[in-house]
Amino acid sequence: MPNFLETERLALRAFTEADVDHLLALDNDPDVMQFINGGRPTSREAIRTRALPHLLRDYPFLGSRGYWAVEEKATGTFLGWFEFRPVDDHSPAVVELGYRLNKAAWGCGYATEGARALIDKGFTDLGVERVTANTMAVNTRSRRVMEKAGLSFLRNFTGDWPDAIEGSEHGEVEYELTRAEWEQRQA
């Protein structure tokens, strides 16, 4: 199966059932999961029955999946995944950008590189009008990636956390980039 998207250093491809071990390692790193579930471990069964089916979902009107495994092109090393999925299941107009990379990939510019490539593809090929992204307010690394990818701070908000984790008391932040802003920057 061909890659969905390639950058200078990255290949984004569809997930397969064979990715269970990659996801298990990623989701069991407490540092990776700090701002997602407080760093608690995830079972193989949860990966196999909940996480992987979610990552395998197709969005036919978008002509693609909303999640992609990301590998380093030069080595084929699994780095994590990117999300670029519609907020509304019936329209590609607004998509949510997300990423989860293993700790070894942090600080290498991979998150920014992949995010920028997805944004460009969204606005040029997929009919996207607005890209949104959110994270915990205290997740400064993720916020910096959003800014470097071209998104601007939109608002603070308080999410509904079923199980509060450290830092959730500070709320969440939303960033966005519209097609008009993106086009203006391209000119």
Side-chain angles (χ1 to χ4, degrees), residues 13 15 19 22-23 26 69-71 76-81 102:
R13 61 162 176 82
F15 275 97
D19 286 312
H22 294 305
L23 293 168
L26 184 68
V70 60
E71 297 175 341
T77 301
F78 178 84
L79 300 176
W81 55 258
N102 66 44

Side-chain angles (χ1 to χ4, degrees), residues 17-25 28 41-52:
E17 298 286 338
D19 286 312
V20 169
D21 288 334
H22 294 305
L23 293 168
L24 187 64
N28 278 286
T42 304
S43 71
R44 175 178 288 282
E45 183 67 11
I47 296 291
R48 195 181 60 69
T49 62
R50 289 196 309 265
L52 190 57

Side-chain angles (χ1 to χ4, degrees), residues 89-159:
D89 282 349
H90 305 290
S91 170
V94 180
V95 297
E96 182 174 355
L97 171 68
Y99 32 83
R100 186 176 303 171
L101 301 180
N102 66 44
K103 202 166 24 180
W106 293 1
C108 299
Y110 292 136
T112 301
E113 184 176 328
R116 285 180 179 162
L118 282 167
I119 290 167
D120 291 349
K121 185 167 184 71
F123 287 136
T124 58
D125 298 340
L126 302 176
V128 171
E129 294 297 322
R130 178 175 173 257
V131 176
T132 183
N134 59 58
T135 190
M136 290 176 62
V138 296
N139 189 349
T140 55
R141 288 188 305 258
S142 190
R143 292 179 73 167
R144 184 67 185 129
V145 168
M146 293 173 194
E147 292 165 356
K148 288 167 61 175
L151 283 75
S152 300
F153 175 79
L154 178 64
R155 68 185 178 112
N156 284 83
F157 66 99
T158 303

Side-chain angles (χ1 to χ4, degrees), residues 60-97:
F61 62 89
L62 191 60
S64 69
R65 291 187 169 162
Y67 296 88
W68 295 275
V70 60
E71 297 175 341
E72 188 177 49
K73 273 177 36 176
T75 64
T77 301
F78 178 84
L79 300 176
W81 55 258
F82 281 94
E83 168 190 12
F84 200 71
R85 69 167 177 82
V87 173
D88 176 345
D89 282 349
H90 305 290
S91 170
V94 180
V95 297
E96 182 174 355
L97 171 68

